[in-house]
Amino acid sequence: MNFWDKISSLDRRWIYLLVAIAVILPLIFPADFPVRITPEATQLYEAIEALPDSSVVLLTFDYYPSSTAETEPMSFAALHQLFRKDCRVFTMTTIPLGGPSIAERVTRTVAQEYGKQYGIDFVNLGYKANYVAVLKGMGTSIEAIYPTDNSGTPLAQLPMMQNIRNYKDVSFIFAVADNAIVEYWISIVNAQYGTPIGAGVTAVSAPKYYSFVSSGQMTGLLGGMKGAAEYEQLVSKPAIAMKGMGIQSLIHLLIIGLVLVGNIGYFFGKKKGTRGISV
Amino acid sequence: MRTTVPVIIAFLSGIVMIVSFFFNPDRTILGQIESEVLVWVTIVGGFTLLLGVVSITRVNFRSVRLQKEGWFFNLLTLISIFVMAIPSILPVSWSPLFGDREGSIYDWLFTNVDSIMMQTMFGLLAFYIASAAYRAFRARNAEATILLLTAVLVMLWRVPMGEAFLRLFSDDLPQWINSYVMNGANMSVQRGIIIGAALGAASMSLRILLGIERTYMGKG
């Protein structure tokens, strides 16, 4: 076994250690990195900026707690921009596990900063099962699908919701999601009711949505933590996603380095057949 | 009878949804029927969640009762379900610890246990991805080499340090990746997949409406 064979068969625990170091180092020694903003993020930001003040915006929390590192900063940044513009925001989720709680916590945190009142400036509709029917049904009547908000208060008792009957009364939908629900927002809501939709999604699902942005079915796109960092920069509220750029940079560079070393070992080593290896 | 009735229900429900698309829900009976059907669907959806809880309880309870291998984990699943569910169902008027609002038992468990565990499981992916990339991502042939080079470019482009590195070669390189890789090659492939999947979904829906596809009833 030559040197490169040894490199190729490196114990995976060394790789885990390197990953741990790459995550921990930027936390101990934080550094600011300039984040270049993509045209898709700018498009989303400008679309919201172009809305008249006090417009009604639907912000969705279609993500599980597992992906909050990527998606939650987008929700925070979106609320900063929306409340700064005095938009009236109602939130909902198609995720039963945690969706309503995350929406409640995030919205109330930002609302407090801007002195917004529940029922007047923002409302949390919560979760309803069977998302296709929910998305379609809200096109006719939001109240028929959500007779009450997340706390059980009838929508008729919430001043903000009295003039919001269906999608015709909604100026913009900002979907933050970690799953394929954005496709349904596009195919059911944008295609059938014409409501403009912008989305923030996880990095792994972002490539799919470039075609929708290009066709005009989506108004802007944020992809992963980088997208969240871009949006934080756009709304001038640098927060957790901007801080995460150091960690993500090191991890990406580490993985690229590992791939390169692995391939050099593969070409210069004697053992070429490495099938069925454990990761 | 057990097959015919579900097929008739599926056919009528589907036809109502298709035809009503062309009518104003406020002005036509068909549109109003559509609205009503959609409300029913959300109610049925709620019951399917309950059905899921009943099913998972039955399966896990049987494993615990028969003390099958790993029964302890089945017991933990059962305890977790009921410790989370029961306090959230009980009315808030009985105690502020009930319900699912901030300060409730459910909220505490969700924030401090459930949410953290889900984030941890997701975070562990970074370790496995790094190890898998090191061992399996090999430039074995031309296609794999193109994939590898594209992946490296996109990974560099998606982070500030990588983008700064790309700018050493050309200031336009990050923009080039956005235009030609993400909005070029990636987009054309994704469009093909999306159109193909949509056509497949449309043909499958038609098969269900016409009663040709019956696997959803457990029939071949």
Side-chain angles (χ1 to χ4, degrees):
Chain A
M1 185 183 276
N2 66 20
F3 171 75
W4 291 110
D5 284 330
K6 284 181 186 169
I7 287 288
S8 284
S9 53
L10 184 70
D11 191 322
R12 61 179 180 271
R13 284 171 293 187
W14 287 109
I15 297 168
Y16 295 167
L17 180 66
L18 287 173
V19 173
I21 292 169
V23 171
I24 294 165
L25 265 184
L27 292 174
I28 299 170
F29 307 107
D32 289 333
F33 294 95
V35 174
R36 304 265 179 165
I37 294 158
T38 55
E40 291 77 17
T42 309
Q43 189 188 5
L44 179 53
Y45 175 78
E46 287 177 352
I48 293 178
E49 279 301 295
L51 293 175
D53 286 356
S54 305
S55 295
V56 174
V57 175
L58 167 59
L59 178 66
T60 78
F61 286 76
D62 294 325
Y63 53 88
Y64 287 93
S66 53
S67 67
T68 46
E70 286 184 282
T71 47
E72 199 170 89
M74 297 175 189
S75 306
F76 272 107
L79 283 165
H80 279 296
Q81 188 185 12
L82 294 169
F83 283 145
R84 200 182 288 161
K85 278 186 65 67
D86 286 329
C87 288
R88 288 169 292 157
V89 182
F90 69 103
T91 63
M92 59 168 279
T93 179
T94 54
I95 302 291
L97 187 61
S101 306
I102 297 171
E104 195 77 26
R105 176 173 51 78
V106 173
T107 314
R108 284 189 187 273
T109 305
V110 185
Q112 204 171 12
E113 197 176 317
Y114 291 87
K116 300 292 180 185
Q117 278 185 290
Y118 188 83
I120 296 168
D121 304 303
F122 68 101
V123 164
N124 180 13
L125 295 182
Y127 166 78
K128 275 281 181 286
N130 214 328
Y131 54 84
V132 174
V134 170
L135 267 54
K136 178 91 177 116
M138 285 170 68
T140 310
S141 168
I142 293 171
E143 198 173 8
I145 301 296
Y146 283 99
T148 65
D149 71 352
N150 190 45
S151 325
T153 310
L155 291 201
Q157 291 178 18
L158 298 166
M160 185 187 127
M161 297 307 291
Q162 283 172 11
N163 296 320
I164 305 171
R165 197 169 156 261
N166 52 36
Y167 293 128
K168 282 178 192 159
D169 304 313
V170 179
S171 303
F172 195 85
I173 297 172
F174 195 139
V176 183
D178 66 357
N179 54 67
I181 189 72
V182 176
E183 280 179 64
Y184 292 93
W185 281 110
I186 295 162
S187 62
I188 296 173
V189 182
N190 177 265
Q192 297 182 28
Y193 302 96
T195 314
I197 290 169
V201 297
T202 49
V204 74
S205 55
K208 185 193 286 182
Y209 297 110
Y210 278 83
S211 56
F212 294 111
V213 177
S214 167
S215 65
Q217 290 166 288
M218 265 174 72
T219 312
L221 172 70
L222 307 176
M225 193 185 274
K226 167 78 168 16
E230 290 171 28
Y231 212 70
E232 283 180 356
Q233 195 161 303
L234 282 165
V235 300
S236 308
K237 279 280 179 186
I240 195 79
M242 288 288 281
K243 286 177 187 161
M245 284 297 92
I247 298 170
Q248 201 168 39
S249 289
L250 274 189
I251 289 287
H252 277 212
L253 294 179
L254 174 67
I255 291 176
I256 290 167
L258 287 171
V259 168
L260 288 177
V261 171
N263 274 280
I264 293 168
Y266 173 72
F267 283 110
F268 290 99
K270 287 174 188 167
K271 293 192 296 181
K272 294 266 172 165
T274 48
R275 286 170 185 273
I277 41 176
S278 70
V279 293
Chain B
M1 190 69 176
R2 289 180 67 181
T3 312
T4 313
V5 172
V7 168
I8 292 170
I9 292 171
F11 177 78
L12 289 175
S13 307
I15 289 295
V16 165
M17 299 310 288
I18 292 170
V19 177
S20 62
F21 175 75
F22 301 98
F23 294 88
N24 189 325
D26 295 331
R27 295 181 193 162
T28 59
I29 293 172
L30 207 58
Q32 285 161 11
I33 292 172
E34 183 213 25
S35 307
E36 202 59 40
V37 169
L38 287 170
V39 174
W40 288 10
V41 172
T42 59
I43 293 167
V44 171
F47 280 99
T48 58
L49 288 178
L50 189 66
L51 199 66
V53 173
V54 171
S55 173
I56 203 166
T57 305
R58 278 181 59 186
V59 169
N60 284 285
F61 183 73
R62 195 180 302 138
S63 297
V64 173
R65 193 164 50 88
L66 300 173
Q67 297 216 335
K68 286 184 179 174
E69 193 184 344
W71 65 271
F72 182 71
F73 298 107
N74 300 101
L75 181 66
L76 278 181
T77 307
L78 284 173
I79 293 169
S80 305
I81 290 170
F82 290 104
V83 166
M84 286 287 277
I86 293 170
S88 69
I89 294 166
L90 295 173
V92 189
S93 54
W94 290 7
S95 164
L97 293 175
F98 297 148
D100 58 359
R101 291 181 190 176
E102 204 176 342
S104 63
I105 293 172
Y106 171 86
D107 185 63
W108 190 90
L109 285 171
F110 172 75
T111 310
N112 297 296
V113 182
D114 196 28
S115 185
I116 304 299
M117 285 197 300
M118 288 176 84
Q119 287 168 17
T120 306
M121 292 301 291
F122 200 65
L124 285 176
L125 273 180
F127 293 90
Y128 291 115
I129 287 171
S131 180
Y134 179 66
R135 285 159 204 285
F137 212 173
R138 298 278 190 262
R140 290 176 203 276
N141 49 44
E143 291 90 340
T145 309
I146 293 169
L147 182 67
L148 195 149
L149 289 174
T150 314
V152 167
L153 276 179
V154 173
M155 283 180 74
L156 285 170
W157 168 68
R158 286 305 295 174
V159 289
M161 272 192 212
E163 203 178 61
F165 176 73
L166 290 174
R167 284 182 196 280
L168 293 177
F169 299 95
S170 165
D171 212 36
D172 297 330
L173 194 50
Q175 183 55 42
W176 184 88
I177 293 170
N178 193 42
S179 302
Y180 292 99
V181 178
M182 299 311 290
N183 280 299
N186 163 66
M187 193 169 76
S188 55
V189 171
Q190 293 290 350
R191 275 194 177 149
I193 294 169
I194 291 166
I195 292 168
L199 289 173
S203 65
M204 180 57 85
S205 304
L206 199 61
R207 283 172 62 86
I208 292 171
L209 283 184
L210 298 175
I212 301 165
E213 180 64 48
R214 298 180 179 201
T215 45
Y216 67 95
M217 289 186 283
K219 307 254 176 198

